[in-house]
Amino acid sequence: MSKVKFFLSLGLPVILAGAMVGCGGGAPAGGSGGGSGGSGPTAAGPPWGGTSAWSNLTKLTNYSFHTTFTIGGNTETMDEEQHDPGNYKLTIGQGGQTETFILAGGHNYMGSASGFIDLGAATSNSASSGSQQGGSTWQGFLGGNGATYAGPCNVNGRAGNAFNLKVSSGLLGAAVTGANANVTGKACVDAATGVLLSSNVQWTYTANGKSATMGDTFQLTGIGNIPVIPAPAGAMSIPSGASKAP
């Protein structure tokens, strides 16, 4: 993925794993950014929850989201429908091509509209929860700081609290000497659950004399809207000698 290549080019292997599964992770996109929140911070309002806005996604079942990641003019998308942690469909797209991963009936499947391969029995429900956890890890650079309340917001009919995000410091200094991250954007956090409803964040990283700017968006497109996802019909067994499911 381009996130992996980018972090390698900046010399940031310490956060590579979290960034990789947060593609789009998550990881976690598109949509309304901070929702319909106000244009500036207000004096009063709920406190910013930091990483909990993203990590709370792991508490949800039966939901869907869309996320995008843009760097160097290239955009990756990730769309997930999760009935529960053991039953989901994840589609990743880039350059007009898509690849879909399904966990159903205890088996992992990979493919596209032209057909699927049965990768074998799943050893875990890792892909979905991994993208959520990875997203909460790298979004965690914001910590509990760098956010101001910006008023109410609303995403897909759910009421939330909007926050303006802004951090400019050597957040990665502990991992890479001289590394710096500048973060700006907006997030809308569900008032009832504390779950992230949407975000639109610009990240500028500088390390080892190199710098790049990334755009990352996330939108929770529904809660309680995903029926059981069936295994793809006609999936072929994985060829003999090929790698099995993760």
Side-chain angles (χ1 to χ4, degrees), residues 78-245:
M78 176 184 290
D79 291 273
E80 179 171 326
E81 300 174 352
Q82 183 186 112
H83 178 71
D84 61 54
N87 182 220
Y88 63 83
K89 178 180 180 180
L90 177 66
T91 300
I92 299 174
Q94 183 177 26
Q97 298 184 355
T98 61
E99 192 161 24
T100 298
F101 302 86
I102 295 175
L103 176 59
H107 274 229
N108 280 312
Y109 300 88
M110 178 180 69
S112 63
S114 60
F116 280 81
I117 295 176
D118 183 347
L119 298 177
T123 58
S124 69
N125 301 332
S126 60
S128 179
S129 61
S131 66
Q132 296 168 335
Q133 292 167 0
S136 67
T137 298
W138 57 266
Q139 298 279 16
F141 292 139
L142 292 172
N145 303 306
T148 52
Y149 177 64
C153 55
N154 189 292
V155 176
N156 293 326
R158 295 190 69 91
N161 299 305
F163 294 87
N164 290 322
L165 312 176
K166 186 175 181 180
V167 176
S168 180
S169 63
L171 293 174
L172 305 180
V176 180
T177 301
N180 185 275
N182 298 311
V183 183
T184 59
K186 179 171 282 189
C188 179
V189 180
D190 190 49
T193 65
V195 170
L196 181 70
L197 294 176
S198 65
S199 65
N200 193 329
V201 182
Q202 295 292 317
W203 307 72
T204 300
Y205 288 102
T206 302
N208 296 335
K210 299 179 181 180
S211 180
T213 298
M214 304 179 297
D216 202 304
T217 64
F218 171 93
Q219 181 159 337
L220 191 67
T221 52
I223 298 178
N225 62 325
I226 305 301
V228 174
I229 299 167
M236 298 177 59
S237 298
I238 191 168
S240 177
S243 176
K244 289 286 185 178

